[in-house]
Amino acid sequence: MIRGLVIVSCLALTAGFVAITALPWLQTPDERPGLSAADRAATAAPVLHLRAPMPTDMTSITERPLFSAVRRPPPPEEPGTPLIDPNADLLFGEYEISGVVMLGDSAMAMLRDREGRLTRVRTGDQVETPDGIAVVTAITLNALTFRRGGDTVTATVQREGVTTE
């Protein structure tokens, strides 16, 4: 009895595999009979073309391998290298000249403080500085002139991407 059940199960399993392989929707387009070349091309799976990445400069990785147990930090800077002051280009260490507008004889400058606020100044206006008050004495397209105490300070206007001929 068990031997007959095993034989029937094996026959049923074999018949199932034969039926599955004979189904046309499970066959690839090249295996289907009666399809033209255009139909095969339309139903074919897309082909991915993968390229290896282009080689880049690997000197830093070869000198200091990323996953090496003896990886060391980069060499320190040479002694005596001056530190760059990030506020060196700021006017009075507080303001950046955002722009200058001239209309006829009148001129106005826009100053941006460290917090990003804009302040409009004209000739005669006062600007707060860490050392006191500075008075705007002249505004041109190229420079702003201030009087602070007994000193005169001239700040040039930096223009990015503007060429003068």
Side-chain angles (χ1 to χ4, degrees):
M1 172 93 169
I2 293 178
R3 186 180 275 174
L5 186 59
V6 170
I7 292 173
V8 169
S9 297
C10 287
L11 287 174
L13 192 60
T14 305
F17 283 123
V18 169
I20 288 175
T21 57
L23 294 175
W25 58 84
L26 293 178
Q27 294 176 349
T28 61
D30 294 335
E31 296 172 349
R32 293 183 195 163
L35 283 180
S36 67
D39 291 338
R40 284 191 184 115
T43 58
V47 177
L48 297 177
H49 297 286
L50 300 176
R51 283 186 271 156
M54 297 300 294
T56 58
D57 184 20
M58 300 288 186
T59 56
S60 62
I61 294 173
T62 56
E63 290 173 357
R64 298 175 48 236
L66 292 175
F67 301 106
S68 173
V70 293
R71 181 175 166 88
R72 294 185 185 98
E77 294 181 8
E78 294 189 26
T81 304
L83 297 175
I84 298 171
D85 182 12
N87 297 325
D89 59 341
L90 295 181
L91 177 63
F92 305 120
E94 293 286 323
Y95 300 100
E96 172 187 12
I97 302 172
S98 292
V100 175
V101 177
M102 305 241 356
L103 184 61
D105 293 338
S106 63
M108 178 179 65
M110 300 291 290
L111 302 178
R112 184 180 309 272
D113 64 6
R114 288 184 181 190
E115 297 173 6
R117 295 181 300 224
L118 287 174
T119 304
R120 288 183 273 190
V121 294
R122 294 190 171 128
T123 304
D125 289 351
Q126 297 180 351
V127 177
E128 286 189 42
T129 67
D131 300 332
I133 300 290
V135 179
V136 180
T137 57
I139 299 175
T140 65
L141 286 176
N142 298 321
L144 277 71
T145 307
F146 297 88
R147 188 177 66 246
R148 184 175 59 179
D151 297 331
T152 301
V153 177
T154 302
T156 59
V157 177
Q158 302 293 325
R159 294 192 199 121
E160 295 178 15
V162 176
T163 57
T164 56
E165 297 177 21

